[in-house]
């Protein structure tokens, strides 16, 4: 078995690479951000063991083919900018999740990273439907997925259980193979 599975992708100044154990400290720091906790269901409080689990789980996904989990880093400095994860494909469908560090926001990092992984997924798998589920009210994320070529499909009530098991409504977006 390959000891270091995974793929590296690049666009502009961004490198998307598999997580490494040495990223745990940067993940721990990033995941203290209240905006990430507000919109992404991550453990609260987010502790060092949780950061290590992010990396361990990502390596398992690559090894088992159950997904593709990338650290988004600055190609020149390797500074952590965020995370983009593809869960699946499971059959013809795969789902995306994404967060950025606060200083990486507002310059197209999320939309370019998401578009890159979506294009790569269509090129390298049989997936037909890529989707993302965004809590209602997360307007930055709504704009990001539209910029990445996804289309809004509707609202799913009580789709997710947020911290403490609180049901939250999500907007579903999808990009279908062959969409312009
Ligand atoms: C959601 C989140 C990932 C979006 O990040 P973002 O930087 O706002 O989104 P993008 O990467 O699409 O950047 C778009 C912004 O950069 C600008 N931009 C600059 N260059 C750009 C380029 N080449 N391409 C696209 N946008 C560009 C756009 O004008 C846009 O600004 P605007 O949203 O004020 O109009 C980020 O806000 C975040 O991590 N939030 C907390 C966690 C979270 O909500 N995760 C998502 C859960 S579903």
């Amino acid at each position: 078995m390959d000891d270091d599975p995974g793929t590296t992708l690049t666009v502009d100044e961004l490198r998307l690479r598999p997580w490494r154990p040495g990223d745990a400290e940067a993940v721990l720091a990033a995941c203290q951000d209240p905006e990430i906790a507000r919109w992404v269901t991550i453990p609260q409080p987010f502790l060092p063991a949780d950061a290590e689990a992010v990396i361990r789980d990502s390596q398992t996904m690559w090894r088992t083919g159950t997904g593709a989990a990338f650290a988004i880093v600055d190609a020149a400095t390797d500074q952590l900018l965020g995370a983009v994860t593809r869960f699946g494909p499971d059959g013809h469908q795969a789902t995306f999740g994404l967060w950025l560090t606060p200083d990486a926001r507002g310059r197209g990092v999320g939309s370019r990273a998401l578009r890159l992984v979506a294009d790569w997924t269509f090129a390298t798998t049989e997936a037909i439907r890529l989707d993302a589920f965004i809590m209602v009210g997360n307007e930055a994320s709504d704009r990001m997925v539209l910029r990445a070529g996804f289309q809004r499909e509707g609202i799913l009530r009580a789709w997710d259980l947020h911290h403490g098991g609180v049901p939250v409504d999500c907007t579903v977006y999808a990009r279908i193979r062959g969409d312009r």
Side-chain angles (χ1 to χ4, degrees), residues 8-9 25 35 42-43 45-46 48-49 71 88-89 93 100 107 110 124-125 132 135 139 143 145 157 165 169-171:
T8 295
L9 305 170
E25 206 174 311
E35 275 298 294
I42 56 170
F46 193 90
Q93 175 272 343
L100 299 181
R107 53 186 166 104
T124 57
T125 77
M135 286 184 206
E139 291 173 11
R143 291 196 300 273
V145 293
R157 295 179 301 155
D169 300 345
C170 289
T171 309

Side-chain angles (χ1 to χ4, degrees), residues 35 38-39 134-147 171 173:
E35 275 298 294
R38 180 175 175 201
W39 299 116
I134 296 174
M135 286 184 206
V136 169
N138 188 352
E139 291 173 11
S141 205
D142 291 332
R143 291 196 300 273
M144 174 187 71
V145 293
L146 291 171
R147 277 191 199 99
T171 309
Y173 291 85

Side-chain angles (χ1 to χ4, degrees), residues 25-48:
E25 206 174 311
V27 172
L28 179 63
C31 289
Q32 306 307 314
D33 173 41
E35 275 298 294
I36 295 178
R38 180 175 175 201
W39 299 116
V40 185
T41 304
I42 56 170
Q44 291 297 299
F46 193 90
L47 301 172

Side-chain angles (χ1 to χ4, degrees), residues 32-165:
Q32 306 307 314
D33 173 41
E35 275 298 294
I36 295 178
R38 180 175 175 201
W39 299 116
V40 185
T41 304
I42 56 170
Q44 291 297 299
F46 193 90
L47 301 172
D50 300 312
E52 284 157 23
V54 166
I55 290 155
R56 208 174 43 246
D57 293 350
S58 75
Q59 292 170 334
T60 303
M61 287 170 90
W62 284 112
R63 285 211 171 85
T64 58
T66 50
F70 295 93
I72 308 169
V73 300
D74 182 303
T77 64
D78 205 49
Q79 181 195 342
L80 182 68
L81 304 177
V84 56
T85 306
R86 185 190 80 207
F87 301 92
D90 184 5
H92 76 295
Q93 175 272 343
T95 299
F96 285 88
L98 200 147
W99 53 257
L100 299 181
T101 60
D103 60 357
R105 293 174 195 156
R107 53 186 166 104
V109 173
S111 48
R112 284 179 289 153
L114 181 57
R115 184 180 284 281
L116 181 64
V117 182
D119 289 349
W120 171 74
T121 296
F122 282 136
T124 57
T125 77
E126 302 288 304
I128 295 171
R129 174 188 169 85
L130 310 181
D131 49 32
F133 300 86
I134 296 174
M135 286 184 206
V136 169
N138 188 352
E139 291 173 11
S141 205
D142 291 332
R143 291 196 300 273
M144 174 187 71
V145 293
L146 291 171
R147 277 191 199 99
F150 287 61
Q151 295 178 28
R152 186 182 185 282
E153 295 187 325
I155 291 179
L156 298 166
R157 295 179 301 155
W159 175 253
D160 207 358
L161 286 180
H162 204 38
H163 308 308

